[in-house]
Amino acid sequence: MKKSLTALALGTLALGVAEFVMMGILPDVALDLGISIPRAGSLISVYAVGVCVGAPLTVVVARRRGLKSILLALAAVIAAGNLLAALAPDYGMLAASRFVAGLPHGAFFGVGSIVAERVAEPGRRTEAVSIMILGMTVANLFCVPLGTFLGNILSWRWAFVLAGGAGIAAAVFVACWVPRLPALPDNGLRGQFRFLTSSAPWLILGATLLANAGVFCWYSYVMPVMSRSAVPGEDALAGVMFVAGLGMFAGNLAGGRCADRFTPERTARFIQGALCLLLLALLFAADCGWAAFVLLFCTTAALFGVSSPQQLLILENSPGGEMLGAASIQIAFNLGNALGAWCGGLTIDCGLAPRYTALPGALLAFGGFVLFVIYCRRFGRLENNMR
């Protein structure tokens, strides 16, 4: 594997810790700050808002700069935002720090996807993007369970120290291993947004948003769900995050390879359909320990299995605005995270058991599947070649 892809993966590892460690320490943060579980869940949404603001802001400010310089600046913001979160004295400051930590997320994925595609070997573009995303799955496999463990035995603040340290490491390796690539052609600010006049990217973004919202309806509250049903004690909660991370790791690798072999459209369409069924199964199997763990693995595998195909598809459908296009898919991911966390919180506020968060999740995921089917029929290479 090329060193440049490894450096990009280290960057997404830092982002993975920053984004997903909140799920593992949600009860600890709520208890320490004296707030409810749904209000603590809003810290997931605040991070997502930062992602949505940061991606277009980076395009406006840095579109004329070299790709490596942009990556270095973004890695520095990742580190700063998470270290500030570790020091936050109250909910307000923690929310502000989470917003700052989210600012570089979409932009890093956007610029990183372009770099990965440029250094990829012929015929392995999706796999190169999946290697970049691999860092996020490794974060969920090892670092998020570690952050959850530290949060349980020491303090939730150490989880954000871990995320900040990962951001510093990412900056160092990007500086050492990512080649200096020229800036993208400057088509003007208006030219960066021109691709959005087509319906194709909107269908991809909408499908991504709803699919992610469906998963995060349930996954945002995975700790309360598993601790009340499938997991008998708090000592096993770190194992929940490990199983989730293992699914993300396996799904990401499988999704990239299947997309290069069977086309990104066919791969993403199959996975998005499977997500609807998995979420329905989670609703009914939450009380069965072994089944809940198997479904957790499969759901997180599907969540990341669809990621690299969608990342490549948005690049293909954003000519002249590749940086914004690649970042926009991360906006869709994180808007979905925010919407899912909010919808899941509503079911808990209504007095329903945490496992019922999977019900609105399945409905949202089905909406995403419908949008992606429409995209495939209108713009997909497989369908167009068959006509």
Side-chain angles (χ1 to χ4, degrees), residues 256-311:
R257 291 179 181 177
C258 288
D260 282 332
R261 182 175 179 181
F262 299 112
T263 77
E265 290 91 343
R266 178 180 289 178
T267 301
R269 183 173 56 189
F270 173 81
I271 295 174
Q272 290 211 179
L275 277 174
C276 308
L277 301 177
L278 287 167
L279 286 164
L280 284 176
L282 282 165
L283 173 64
F284 296 105
D287 294 331
C288 303
W290 66 269
F293 272 98
V294 170
L295 290 169
L296 171 63
F297 174 88
C298 293
T299 303
T300 55
L303 175 66
F304 271 75
V306 78
S307 183
S308 56
Q310 289 174 333
Q311 193 84 42

Side-chain angles (χ1 to χ4, degrees), residues 7-387:
L8 295 175
L10 287 167
T12 61
L13 182 146
L15 293 170
V17 179
E19 180 178 14
F20 286 98
V21 79
M22 194 67 225
M23 287 70 166
I25 60 174
L26 200 65
D28 300 298
V29 173
L31 180 64
D32 187 47
L33 298 183
I35 58 177
S36 67
I37 289 288
R39 193 179 185 199
S42 69
L43 293 167
I44 300 169
S45 302
V46 169
Y47 183 94
V49 173
V51 177
C52 299
V53 173
L57 182 64
T58 302
V59 172
V60 172
V61 173
R63 68 181 189 276
R64 295 188 181 94
R65 297 184 180 275
L67 299 177
K68 181 175 181 176
S69 299
I70 299 174
L71 289 174
L72 285 171
L74 295 172
V77 178
I78 295 169
N82 284 287
L83 292 176
L84 286 172
L87 300 173
D90 52 35
Y91 173 83
M93 286 301 297
L94 181 55
S97 301
R98 289 284 291 167
F99 175 81
V100 173
L103 287 173
H105 186 113
F108 191 96
F109 269 93
V111 178
S113 296
I114 296 169
V115 172
E117 190 183 29
R118 287 190 175 186
V119 302
E121 298 176 5
R124 302 181 70 178
R125 294 189 303 154
T126 314
E127 186 176 354
V129 174
S130 72
I131 291 172
M132 178 195 72
I133 299 172
L134 191 66
M136 182 168 277
T137 67
V138 171
N140 280 279
L141 185 58
F142 296 110
C143 300
V144 172
L146 176 59
T148 302
F149 177 73
L150 293 175
N152 288 335
I153 66 169
L154 297 175
S155 168
W156 56 266
R157 299 179 186 276
W158 283 101
F160 291 117
V161 172
L162 181 65
I168 294 172
V172 171
F173 285 104
V174 166
C176 295
W177 289 349
V178 172
R180 291 198 173 274
L181 298 171
L184 295 174
D186 184 16
N187 298 313
L189 189 58
R190 183 177 298 179
Q192 291 287 329
F193 292 84
R194 189 171 293 123
F195 73 95
L196 293 173
T197 58
S198 168
S199 60
W202 288 108
L203 288 169
I204 296 170
L205 294 172
T208 301
L209 188 154
L210 290 176
N212 250 46
V215 174
F216 273 81
C217 256
W218 183 83
Y219 189 65
S220 295
Y221 303 95
V222 64
M223 301 308 281
V225 172
M226 301 294 278
S227 63
R228 293 187 187 188
S229 55
V231 181
E234 290 190 1
D235 291 342
L237 292 180
V240 172
M241 304 311 293
F242 179 81
V243 171
L246 187 62
M248 294 175 187
F249 181 85
N252 177 64
L253 288 178
R257 291 179 181 177
C258 288
D260 282 332
R261 182 175 179 181
F262 299 112
T263 77
E265 290 91 343
R266 178 180 289 178
T267 301
R269 183 173 56 189
F270 173 81
I271 295 174
Q272 290 211 179
L275 277 174
C276 308
L277 301 177
L278 287 167
L279 286 164
L280 284 176
L282 282 165
L283 173 64
F284 296 105
D287 294 331
C288 303
W290 66 269
F293 272 98
V294 170
L295 290 169
L296 171 63
F297 174 88
C298 293
T299 303
T300 55
L303 175 66
F304 271 75
V306 78
S307 183
S308 56
Q310 289 174 333
Q311 193 84 42
L312 185 65
L313 286 172
I314 198 67
L315 277 174
E316 293 178 348
N317 285 277
S318 54
E322 288 84 357
M323 186 186 299
L324 180 62
S328 294
I329 201 74
Q330 294 302 315
I331 294 178
F333 278 131
N334 283 273
L335 278 177
N337 297 357
L339 176 62
W342 180 71
C343 291
L346 286 179
T347 64
I348 296 174
D349 284 338
C350 289
L352 296 173
R355 70 190 180 100
Y356 283 96
T357 55
L359 181 57
L363 295 174
L364 288 166
F366 180 72
F369 173 67
V370 170
L371 288 181
F372 199 77
V373 168
I374 295 172
Y375 166 81
C376 288
R377 290 184 176 178
R378 292 185 60 186
F379 303 102
R381 71 197 79 190
L382 177 62
E383 284 74 8
N384 289 334
N385 288 339
M386 292 174 63
R387 291 173 184 167

